[in-house]
């Protein structure tokens, strides 16, 4: 597994404002959108391309185009939806699938309550969107789900990760597939409630409000 911790001053600045508890929900949503677009630049560095012949206004030339089958972007509901627009800004021709997953805070088990994916995604590059990689359990479950559908190349895009969560993903995935994790920041630990510390709180609540 490859971990890409994006080192860019604009990413660091936006992440700092995102962490601030005084940042309003509208500002938070806007910053998430901008951050994901910056992270998507790194996440798509290995996207599959093929040579294409075109004509400029001056002369014929050869360039590069995205290969088929098209990449697939999979936000993990609900917080991952806040990252979708920023990712599609760089990959507008990608197809979009969905995974609805919820973690039991006591047992840490993951329940997949909804999915919208092709039965076979063999040969497709898949980009999983989940803003917080805390315990790593949800990301491992999402990757397992995709591997069962035939995926071999999975890139996870997260805004913030905890070191223990990254270790969990590395143990869970092993060498069974080509997996990358692209993050804007890595924090050292989790608290007793499995929140990333210092973190930024609950990303879903800060994006959409508290839902009981």
């Amino acid at each position: 597994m490859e971990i890409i911790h994006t080192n860019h001053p604009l990413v660091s600045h936006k992440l700092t404002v995102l962490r601030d508890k005084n940042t309003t929900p509208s500002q938070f949503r806007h910053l998430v959108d901008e951050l994901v677009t910056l992270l998507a630049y790194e996440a798509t560095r290995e996207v599959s391309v093929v040579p294409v012949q075109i004509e400029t206004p001056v002369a014929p030339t050869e360039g590069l185009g995205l290969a088929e089958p098209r990449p697939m972007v999979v936000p993990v509901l609900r917080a991952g939806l806040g990252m979708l627009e920023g990712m599609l800004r760089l990959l507008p021709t990608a197809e979009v699938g969905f995974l609805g997953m919820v973690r039991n805070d006591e047992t840490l088990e993951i329940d997949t309550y909804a999915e919208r994916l092709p039965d076979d995604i063999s040969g497709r590059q898949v980009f999983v969107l989940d803003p917080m990689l805390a315990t790593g359990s949800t990301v491992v479950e999402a990757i397992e789900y995709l591997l069962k559908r035939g995926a071999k190349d999975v890139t996870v895009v997260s805004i913030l990760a905890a070191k223990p969560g990254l270790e969990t993903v590395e143990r869970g995935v092993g060498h069974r597939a080509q997996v990358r994790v692209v993050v804007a920041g890595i924090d050292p630990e989790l608290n007793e409630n499995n929140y990333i510390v210092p973190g930024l709180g609950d990303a879903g609540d800060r994006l959409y409000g508290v839902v009981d």
Side-chain angles (χ1 to χ4, degrees):
M1 185 180 85
E2 181 183 8
I3 299 172
I4 302 171
H5 183 183
T6 305
N7 182 21
H8 192 287
L10 284 179
V11 171
S12 299
H13 162 71
K14 293 178 189 298
L15 179 58
T16 299
V17 182
L18 204 67
R19 290 181 187 270
D20 192 334
K21 67 179 183 180
N22 296 313
T23 297
T24 66
S26 61
Q27 290 174 317
F28 193 91
R29 287 191 292 270
H30 183 70
L31 284 164
V32 166
D33 183 70
E34 291 184 333
L35 264 174
V36 173
T37 299
L38 292 170
L39 293 174
Y41 181 80
E42 289 295 336
T44 56
R45 190 175 291 276
E46 301 297 328
V47 71
S48 296
V49 292
V50 292
V52 294
Q53 299 294 325
I54 63 167
E55 288 195 20
T56 77
V58 179
T61 189
E62 184 178 274
L64 294 175
L66 291 181
E68 294 287 346
R70 289 179 288 171
M72 173 159 282
V73 178
V74 181
V76 177
L77 306 179
R78 68 180 165 133
L81 279 178
M83 304 172 69
L84 182 57
E85 192 64 31
M87 191 72 192
L88 291 180
R89 190 168 290 116
L90 284 195
L91 279 179
T93 61
E95 292 187 349
V96 180
F98 297 94
L99 278 176
M101 294 180 159
V102 62
R103 183 186 70 192
N104 185 309
D105 289 333
E106 294 182 359
T107 66
L108 300 185
E109 292 183 355
I110 305 301
D111 176 40
T112 302
Y113 63 86
E115 67 88 10
R116 187 69 173 175
L117 291 167
D119 291 334
D120 185 2
I121 53 177
S122 302
R124 307 188 75 157
Q125 291 179 293
V126 184
F127 297 87
V128 176
L129 308 181
D130 194 356
M132 306 293 284
L133 199 164
T135 66
S137 302
T138 301
V139 167
V140 169
E141 190 69 19
I143 293 172
E144 291 287 357
Y145 204 98
L146 296 168
L147 295 184
K148 290 175 183 176
R149 298 287 178 103
K152 296 294 184 184
D153 187 335
V154 179
T155 299
V156 178
V157 182
S158 292
I159 292 170
L160 202 56
K163 286 184 178 179
L166 290 172
E167 292 167 358
T168 296
V169 176
E170 191 153 23
R171 287 195 303 269
V173 174
H175 300 288
R176 291 175 297 141
Q178 184 175 347
V179 174
R180 303 176 202 84
V181 179
V182 180
V183 296
I186 300 175
D187 283 355
E189 59 186 353
L190 302 169
N191 65 14
E192 64 277 7
N193 297 315
N194 291 313
Y195 277 75
I196 300 175
V197 179
L200 51 77
D202 187 297
D205 288 350
R206 296 194 68 184
L207 280 162
Y208 304 118
V210 179
V211 178
D212 294 326

